[in-house]
Amino acid sequence: MSTEFHQHDDGYAVEHSEVLDHLATTLIGGNDAAVILRSFTDKVSHTLTNGTTIPVKRVCGWRVHGGAFHPLEAGQMYTVFHTDAGTGEPIPPEKGVEIVDAWTVDLTGFRTLPSDRG
């Protein structure tokens, strides 16, 4: 599952809110999952022949286990990001992608979903 977030002055817009619902349910249930964050920077990676500039992307990730986010270091993420999940074969690096260490996520303020949310 994936979704896109856009930050606005008054908060965030989420492309597919069901992704957030699924993540919340995963956290509440203590299930295992992975979260990958791919964010775009203001730096230009390269320019296509049609003149379109492609930004540098930063990628980091977390293992979700026991209702908590466990940050992955860049080396761990590099291995995950460059290995085909189905075959185990290496995947070549994508141009303009920087893999970085994830940070600690504090879920102290996290609240469970209301039971009537469905």
Side-chain angles (χ1 to χ4, degrees):
M1 300 179 83
S2 66
T3 192
E4 194 171 307
F5 289 82
H6 294 277
Q7 186 174 5
H8 303 284
D9 292 338
D10 59 345
Y12 295 89
V14 180
E15 179 186 27
H16 301 291
S17 61
E18 63 271 15
V19 174
L20 293 181
D21 291 341
H22 182 74
L23 179 57
T25 301
T26 298
L27 287 166
I28 292 164
N31 300 321
D32 292 342
V35 173
I36 308 300
L37 175 65
R38 185 180 185 109
S39 58
F40 296 89
T41 70
D42 293 333
K43 295 191 294 185
V44 173
S45 164
H46 56 284
T47 303
L48 300 178
T49 55
N50 67 2
T52 303
T53 58
I54 305 300
V56 171
K57 296 167 275 307
R58 286 202 180 104
V59 175
C60 61
W62 295 262
R63 183 174 61 89
V64 179
H65 176 74
F69 282 79
H70 303 276
L72 297 174
E73 295 176 354
Q76 295 169 302
M77 193 60 211
Y78 185 91
T79 300
V80 170
F81 204 68
H82 292 103
T83 304
D84 183 284
T87 65
E89 294 295 316
I91 298 171
E94 184 180 339
K95 189 173 183 178
V97 172
E98 295 176 352
I99 297 178
V100 299
D101 292 342
W103 54 90
T104 301
V105 174
D106 181 3
L107 294 176
T108 307
F110 179 72
R111 296 186 186 95
T112 60
L113 295 172
S115 59
D116 64 346
R117 183 137 182 210

